[in-house]
Coordinates of all heavy atoms in Angstrom, one line a residue:
L1 N -5.4 -53.2 37.9 CA -4.5 -53.0 36.9 C -3.9 -51.5 37.1 O -4.7 -50.6 36.8 CB -4.9 -53.2 35.5 CG -3.8 -53.0 34.4 CD1 -2.8 -54.1 34.4 CD2 -4.5 -53.1 33.0
A2 N -2.7 -51.3 37.6 CA -2.1 -50.1 37.8 C -1.0 -49.5 37.0 O -0.5 -48.4 37.1 CB -1.7 -49.9 39.3
S3 N -0.7 -50.4 36.0 CA 0.4 -50.0 35.1 C 0.2 -50.6 33.7 O -0.5 -51.6 33.7 CB 1.8 -50.3 35.6 OG 1.9 -51.8 35.8
D4 N 0.8 -50.1 32.7 CA 0.7 -50.7 31.4 C 1.3 -52.1 31.4 O 2.3 -52.4 32.0 CB 1.4 -49.8 30.4 CG 1.1 -48.4 30.4 OD1 -0.1 -48.1 30.7 OD2 1.9 -47.5 30.2
N5 N 0.6 -53.0 30.6 CA 1.0 -54.4 30.6 C 1.9 -54.8 29.4 O 2.0 -55.9 29.0 CB -0.1 -55.4 30.8 CG -1.0 -55.5 29.6 OD1 -0.8 -54.8 28.5 ND2 -2.1 -56.3 29.7
L6 N 2.3 -53.7 28.7 CA 3.1 -53.9 27.4 C 4.5 -53.6 27.5 O 5.4 -54.0 26.6 CB 2.5 -52.9 26.4 CG 1.0 -53.2 26.1 CD1 0.3 -51.9 26.3 CD2 0.8 -53.6 24.7
V7 N 5.1 -52.9 28.7 CA 6.4 -52.7 28.8 C 7.2 -54.0 29.1 O 6.9 -54.6 30.1 CB 6.6 -51.6 29.9 CG1 8.1 -51.3 30.1 CG2 5.9 -50.4 29.6
R8 N 8.1 -54.2 28.3 CA 8.9 -55.4 28.4 C 10.3 -55.1 29.0 O 11.2 -54.8 28.3 CB 9.1 -56.1 27.0 CG 7.9 -56.6 26.4 CD 8.1 -57.5 25.1 NE 8.7 -56.8 24.1 CZ 8.0 -56.1 23.1 NH1 6.6 -56.2 23.2 NH2 8.6 -55.5 22.1
R9 N 10.3 -55.3 30.3 CA 11.5 -55.0 31.1 C 12.6 -55.9 30.8 O 13.8 -55.5 31.0 CB 11.2 -55.0 32.6 CG 10.2 -54.0 33.0 CD 9.8 -54.2 34.5 NE 8.9 -53.1 34.9 CZ 9.3 -52.0 35.3 NH1 10.6 -51.7 35.4 NH2 8.4 -51.0 35.7
D10 N 12.3 -57.2 30.4 CA 13.4 -58.1 30.2 C 13.8 -58.3 28.7 O 14.7 -59.1 28.5 CB 12.9 -59.5 30.6 CG 11.6 -59.9 29.9 OD1 11.0 -59.1 29.2 OD2 11.3 -61.2 30.0
T11 N 13.3 -57.4 27.9 CA 13.8 -57.5 26.5 C 15.1 -57.1 26.3 O 15.8 -56.2 27.1 CB 12.8 -56.7 25.6 OG1 13.0 -57.2 24.2 CG2 13.1 -55.2 25.7
T12 N 15.7 -57.6 25.2 CA 17.1 -57.2 24.9 C 17.3 -56.9 23.4 O 16.3 -57.3 22.7 CB 18.1 -58.3 25.2 OG1 17.8 -59.5 24.5 CG2 18.1 -58.7 26.8
Y13 N 18.3 -56.3 22.9 CA 18.5 -56.2 21.5 C 18.4 -57.5 20.8 O 17.9 -57.7 19.7 CB 19.8 -55.5 21.2 CG 20.1 -55.4 19.8 CD1 19.3 -54.7 18.9 CD2 21.2 -56.3 19.3 CE1 19.6 -54.8 17.5 CE2 21.4 -56.3 17.9 CZ 20.6 -55.5 17.0 OH 21.0 -55.7 15.6
E14 N 19.1 -58.5 21.5 CA 19.2 -59.9 20.9 C 17.8 -60.4 20.6 O 17.5 -61.2 19.6 CB 20.1 -60.8 21.7 CG 21.5 -60.4 21.6 CD 21.9 -59.1 22.4 OE1 21.2 -58.8 23.3 OE2 22.9 -58.5 22.2
K15 N 17.0 -60.3 21.7 CA 15.6 -60.8 21.5 C 14.8 -60.1 20.4 O 14.1 -60.8 19.6 CB 14.9 -60.6 22.9 CG 15.4 -61.6 24.0 CD 14.6 -61.3 25.2 CE 15.1 -62.3 26.4 NZ 14.3 -62.0 27.6
L16 N 15.0 -58.8 20.3 CA 14.3 -58.0 19.3 C 14.8 -58.4 18.0 O 14.0 -58.5 16.9 CB 14.4 -56.6 19.6 CG 13.7 -56.0 20.8 CD1 14.1 -54.6 21.1 CD2 12.1 -56.1 20.6
A17 N 16.1 -58.5 17.8 CA 16.7 -58.9 16.5 C 16.3 -60.3 16.0 O 16.4 -60.5 14.9 CB 18.2 -58.8 16.6
A18 N 15.9 -61.2 17.0 CA 15.5 -62.5 16.6 C 14.1 -62.7 16.0 O 13.8 -63.7 15.4 CB 15.7 -63.5 17.8
L19 N 13.3 -61.6 16.2 CA 11.9 -61.6 15.6 C 11.9 -61.5 14.1 O 12.8 -60.8 13.6 CB 11.1 -60.5 16.2 CG 11.0 -60.6 17.8 CD1 10.3 -59.3 18.3 CD2 10.2 -61.8 18.2
K20 N 11.0 -62.2 13.5 CA 10.8 -62.2 12.0 C 10.0 -61.0 11.6 O 9.1 -60.6 12.3 CB 10.3 -63.5 11.6 CG 11.3 -64.6 11.8 CD 10.6 -66.0 11.2 CE 11.6 -67.2 11.5 NZ 11.0 -68.4 10.9
P21 N 10.2 -60.5 10.5 CA 9.4 -59.4 9.8 C 7.9 -59.9 9.7 O 7.7 -61.1 9.4 CB 9.9 -59.2 8.4 CG 11.4 -59.6 8.6 CD 11.4 -60.8 9.6
V22 N 6.9 -59.0 10.0 CA 5.6 -59.3 10.0 C 4.9 -59.0 8.7 O 4.0 -59.8 8.2 CB 4.9 -58.6 11.1 CG1 3.5 -58.9 11.1 CG2 5.5 -59.1 12.5
F23 N 5.1 -57.9 8.1 CA 4.5 -57.6 7.0 C 5.1 -57.9 5.6 O 4.4 -58.6 4.8 CB 4.3 -55.9 7.0 CG 3.6 -55.5 8.2 CD1 4.3 -55.1 9.3 CD2 2.3 -55.6 8.3 CE1 3.7 -54.7 10.5 CE2 1.6 -55.2 9.5 CZ 2.3 -54.8 10.6
D24 N 6.3 -57.5 5.3 CA 7.1 -58.0 4.2 C 8.0 -59.0 4.7 O 9.1 -58.8 5.2 CB 7.8 -56.8 3.5 CG 8.6 -57.3 2.3 OD1 8.8 -58.5 2.2 OD2 9.1 -56.4 1.5
R25 N 7.5 -60.3 4.6 CA 8.3 -61.4 5.3 C 9.6 -61.7 4.6 O 10.5 -62.4 5.2 CB 7.4 -62.6 5.3 CG 6.2 -62.4 6.2 CD 5.4 -63.7 6.2 NE 4.0 -63.4 6.9 CZ 3.9 -63.6 8.2 NH1 5.0 -63.8 9.0 NH2 2.8 -63.3 8.9
T26 N 9.8 -61.3 3.3 CA 11.0 -61.5 2.6 C 12.1 -60.4 2.7 O 13.2 -60.7 3.0 CB 10.7 -61.8 1.1 OG1 9.7 -62.9 1.0 CG2 12.0 -62.2 0.4
Y27 N 11.6 -59.2 2.4 CA 12.6 -58.1 2.5 C 12.3 -57.1 3.6 O 13.0 -56.0 3.6 CB 12.5 -57.4 1.1 CG 12.8 -58.3 -0.1 CD1 11.7 -58.7 -0.9 CD2 14.0 -58.8 -0.3 CE1 12.0 -59.6 -2.0 CE2 14.3 -59.7 -1.4 CZ 13.2 -60.0 -2.3 OH 13.5 -60.9 -3.2
G28 N 11.3 -57.3 4.4 CA 10.9 -56.2 5.4 C 11.8 -56.3 6.6 O 12.6 -57.1 6.9
S29 N 11.5 -55.1 7.4 CA 12.4 -55.0 8.6 C 11.4 -54.6 9.8 O 11.9 -54.5 11.0 CB 13.4 -53.9 8.5 OG 12.8 -52.7 8.0

């Protein structure tokens, strides 16, 4: 393993915006 396995090269703003809040599921961001 020669590099970090967390960097998401294929992510987009649209993909990130589609994720749901994790902690405050009603009003959180």
Side-chain angles (χ1 to χ4, degrees):
L1 180 67
S3 63
D4 307 325
N5 71 1
L6 302 118
V7 180
R8 296 192 292 274
R9 296 173 177 276
D10 61 345
T11 194
T12 63
Y13 170 71
E14 289 73 23
K15 289 181 179 179
L16 291 169
L19 298 174
K20 294 182 178 180
V22 175
F23 301 97
D24 182 344
R25 297 180 184 274
T26 304
Y27 303 107
S29 56

